[in-house]
Amino acid sequence: MITKKEKEKIIAVLGKQFSRAIIPHLTKKKIFNADGNEFSPASIQNILSGNQTNEAVEMEIAKLVARVKRQKEKAQERKNNLLN
C-alpha cells in the first residue's frame, strides 16, 4: 500500500496529474486491470490514496518515479553544465 509520504513524493516527481504518466507506462508494460483494460485515472487515484492495493501497479509506479527523477536530475545537470 502506498503511504501518504510516498504519494507526496510521487506527486513531486510526476506532478498533480500523475495518472497521465502512469497509465501509458502501465499499458506499455502490459499491466491491465482485472477486466483486461487500461487502468482508469480513478483506479490510479484509489491506488495512490491507499484505498486499493495492487502490488504490481505500485511497483511499476515506483520504477517510473525513479526513472523520471533520474531523467530530471540529468537534465538539470546538463543545463548547469551549459550555463557554467
Side-chain angles (χ1 to χ4, degrees), residues 10-82:
I10 292 167
I11 291 171
V13 174
L14 299 180
K16 289 188 178 187
Q17 296 181 347
F18 46 80
S19 61
R20 289 185 179 185
I22 294 171
I23 293 171
H25 176 77
L26 293 174
T27 302
K28 182 179 175 184
K29 296 289 186 175
K30 297 184 183 348
I31 299 174
F32 301 104
N33 66 15
D35 296 329
N37 299 319
E38 285 186 351
F39 281 90
S40 68
S43 293
I44 299 300
Q45 179 65 35
N46 282 334
I47 292 169
L48 279 165
S49 295
N51 299 331
Q52 183 180 346
T53 303
N54 187 318
E55 295 294 325
V57 171
E58 292 172 21
M59 185 57 68
E60 285 303 321
I61 291 171
K63 290 177 184 177
L64 175 64
V65 168
R67 190 183 86 218
V68 170
K69 188 175 178 182
R70 278 193 309 271
Q71 289 173 342
K72 286 183 177 184
E73 288 170 353
K74 286 181 182 179
Q76 184 64 41
E77 187 178 311
R78 282 187 295 231
K79 181 178 160 185
N80 289 343
N81 288 337
L82 290 171

Side-chain angles (χ1 to χ4, degrees), residues 1-13 48 65:
M1 184 163 79
I2 294 177
T3 66
K4 185 177 180 181
K5 285 186 178 187
E6 290 170 337
K7 182 179 178 179
E8 290 171 2
K9 290 178 183 179
I10 292 167
I11 291 171
V13 174
L48 279 165
V65 168

